Amino acid sequence: MKALVKLTLVFFAIQLTYAQTTKGTVVIDSIYSKNLVNEFGENPTREVAVYLPPNYDKETQKYPVIYFLHGFFGDHTLMDYMKDILDFAIETKRIRPFILVVPNEKTTYDGSFYSNSGVFGNWEDFTVQDLVKYMDENYRTLSKKESRGITGHSMGGYGAINIAMKHPDVFNTVYAISPGALAIVREYGPNSETFKELSGINTFEALDKTYFGKVMVAFARSWSPNPNNPPFYCDFPFSYENNELVIHQETLKKWQENMTFYNLEKYIDNLKSLKAIKMDWGRNAGERFTQQCKMFSIKLENLGIDHMAEEYIGTHTSNIYTKDGRIPQQVLPFFEYYLTFE
């Protein structure tokens, strides 16, 4: 009887140990960046949520790193939704143990678009230079481009494509989940209600009652900031005066220089040097997403740039952050296949 009790206790101890070692941990770190110093109230110290794989604290091996860029309105607390599915993906062998990083790049205007503003902070430089360097110096990373992947959802999908396209020496693989801000279409365009509404708004209180108006201010602060143009301190490519459309060509050019659809020709060699490119979008995400994603994929195809593109049945946010969703079923297996794990 004593032997049976002892055997039972050993069995439960083994089970407890297994349960503990099959779960990763999340660290909330922070980084101060000179690239983000500004005079408009954006905090240059940014939180960073870091997922460390099971047994990270008991081993000495190094791991590949996946950088995950959050969407508009989001921040590093996205990791709260992701931690369990990252554990699940490793437990079910959809991917080998890895590190995943979610930086907080939310701004006072809700989204940096991971772009160098020059006025409100240089968020691209923060991501590519400061964040990657910090991770390589403070965590056991495989510090080479073949072991770095970048991904993100919506605004983060835009950021992932834009950054990978410009910095193939840093990131070797990219997966954009339902990326936005690729081109000026639908609600982003001059003849939508967006700019008619925005032309009548001159306070943050009124702006806060809009959605597309806030997105346009974020675009403008990211791509066409103007510290001499209150109250939003940025310029828009379209406006309405006496109910007539006015196109501001210089500002429009600045937007197009930052929207990846218009810049693919400049980065053909960079894009071809990437090991793998994939993008996806929900069929019911709304036409501004489906239209620009299809346009973008077709242009990549026409330029001879190998990539994968998939339209799936879903909305802009459904079936992504769940165990049967895009991240564990599509995104992480993609990086399992293309990243170097040693």
Side-chain angles (χ1 to χ4, degrees):
M1 183 67 180
K2 289 182 179 178
L4 179 61
V5 170
K6 184 176 181 180
L7 184 61
T8 302
L9 290 173
V10 170
F11 172 78
F12 280 115
I14 293 172
Q15 290 293 97
L16 179 60
T17 300
Y18 176 77
Q20 291 173 338
T21 57
T22 57
K23 303 296 181 184
T25 56
V26 173
V27 175
I28 305 301
D29 210 331
S30 65
I31 302 174
Y32 169 81
S33 171
K34 290 183 179 179
N35 282 313
L36 299 182
V37 172
N38 64 95
E39 298 179 357
F40 283 84
E42 304 301 331
N43 191 344
T45 299
R46 310 307 297 183
E47 298 93 344
V48 180
V50 181
Y51 172 84
L52 300 174
N55 299 314
Y56 178 88
D57 59 340
K58 300 175 184 178
E59 298 176 350
T60 58
Q61 75 178 88
K62 295 183 178 182
Y63 300 92
V65 185
I66 299 172
Y67 291 81
F68 194 103
L69 307 183
H70 61 76
F72 196 65
F73 294 132
D75 59 26
H76 65 292
T77 60
L78 178 65
M79 187 68 83
D80 296 344
Y81 299 95
M82 297 182 68
K83 198 270 183 186
D84 287 345
I85 62 174
L86 303 182
D87 287 339
F88 169 76
I90 293 174
E91 289 171 12
T92 55
K93 301 189 184 305
R94 284 161 172 78
I95 188 171
R96 282 164 281 176
F98 66 100
I99 294 171
L100 186 135
V101 182
V102 183
N104 176 11
E105 302 199 36
K106 184 177 183 177
T107 59
T108 58
Y109 47 97
D110 291 308
S112 66
F113 282 89
Y114 306 96
S115 299
N116 285 342
S117 162
V119 174
F120 298 96
N122 290 329
W123 300 87
E124 178 182 328
D125 290 347
F126 165 74
T127 307
V128 175
Q129 298 171 14
D130 304 330
L131 180 60
V132 171
K133 180 181 179 182
Y134 184 86
M135 288 302 303
D136 287 344
E137 290 180 348
N138 291 276
Y139 295 87
R140 294 201 313 275
T141 68
L142 289 166
S143 55
K144 54 187 178 181
K145 66 179 182 179
E146 293 83 2
S147 298
R148 292 193 201 101
I150 189 166
T151 183
H153 174 225
S154 194
M155 178 183 80
Y158 158 82
I161 286 179
N162 193 49
I163 286 173
M165 180 176 75
K166 293 180 179 180
H167 304 280
D169 57 322
V170 179
F171 300 99
N172 202 221
T173 55
V174 56
Y175 191 127
I177 308 166
S178 200
L182 303 177
I184 297 174
V185 299
R186 308 294 297 179
E187 289 89 353
Y188 302 164
N191 293 303
S192 68
E193 293 299 315
T194 301
F195 287 96
K196 292 179 182 178
E197 178 183 46
L198 196 54
S199 290
I201 293 175
N202 54 22
T203 68
F204 281 96
E205 291 76 15
L207 181 69
D208 203 42
K209 297 176 181 178
T210 72
Y211 173 73
F212 288 112
K214 294 184 75 173
V215 174
M216 294 306 103
V217 168
F219 282 1
R221 285 193 165 193
S222 299
W223 305 330
S224 53
N226 183 349
N228 299 313
N229 187 19
F232 303 128
Y233 299 102
C234 55
D235 298 326
F236 301 107
F238 313 114
S239 63
Y240 277 81
E241 298 176 10
N242 298 320
N243 214 32
E244 293 291 327
L245 171 65
V246 179
I247 300 176
H248 306 280
Q249 295 290 348
E250 287 301 312
T251 303
L252 178 60
K253 182 180 178 182
K254 291 178 181 178
W255 282 36
Q256 290 178 337
E257 287 172 348
N258 283 278
M259 299 179 102
T260 49
F261 175 80
Y262 306 104
N263 292 296
L264 292 178
E265 291 88 348
K266 293 194 299 185
Y267 295 100
I268 289 177
D269 290 341
N270 283 6
L271 288 160
K272 287 185 174 181
S273 73
L274 293 171
K275 189 172 184 180
I277 303 168
K278 184 171 182 179
M279 59 188 295
D280 65 22
W281 60 91
R283 179 181 299 171
N284 303 303
E287 288 191 22
R288 71 185 181 280
F289 290 105
T290 58
Q291 184 176 345
Q292 65 185 310
C293 286
K294 289 176 182 177
M295 288 167 54
F296 191 81
S297 178
I298 290 169
K299 191 169 184 181
L300 286 175
E301 182 182 9
N302 291 342
L303 293 172
I305 298 167
D306 290 338
H307 70 290
M308 291 164 273
E310 180 183 356
E311 179 178 279
Y312 60 90
I313 298 174
T315 68
H316 185 55
T317 56
S318 65
N319 302 320
I320 295 176
Y321 302 99
T322 58
K323 288 183 177 180
D324 61 348
R326 305 299 296 180
I327 291 176
Q329 302 298 336
Q330 301 293 331
V331 179
L332 296 179
F334 167 86
F335 287 115
E336 158 66 24
Y337 188 81
Y338 288 106
L339 285 181
T340 298
F341 278 73
E342 57 185 26

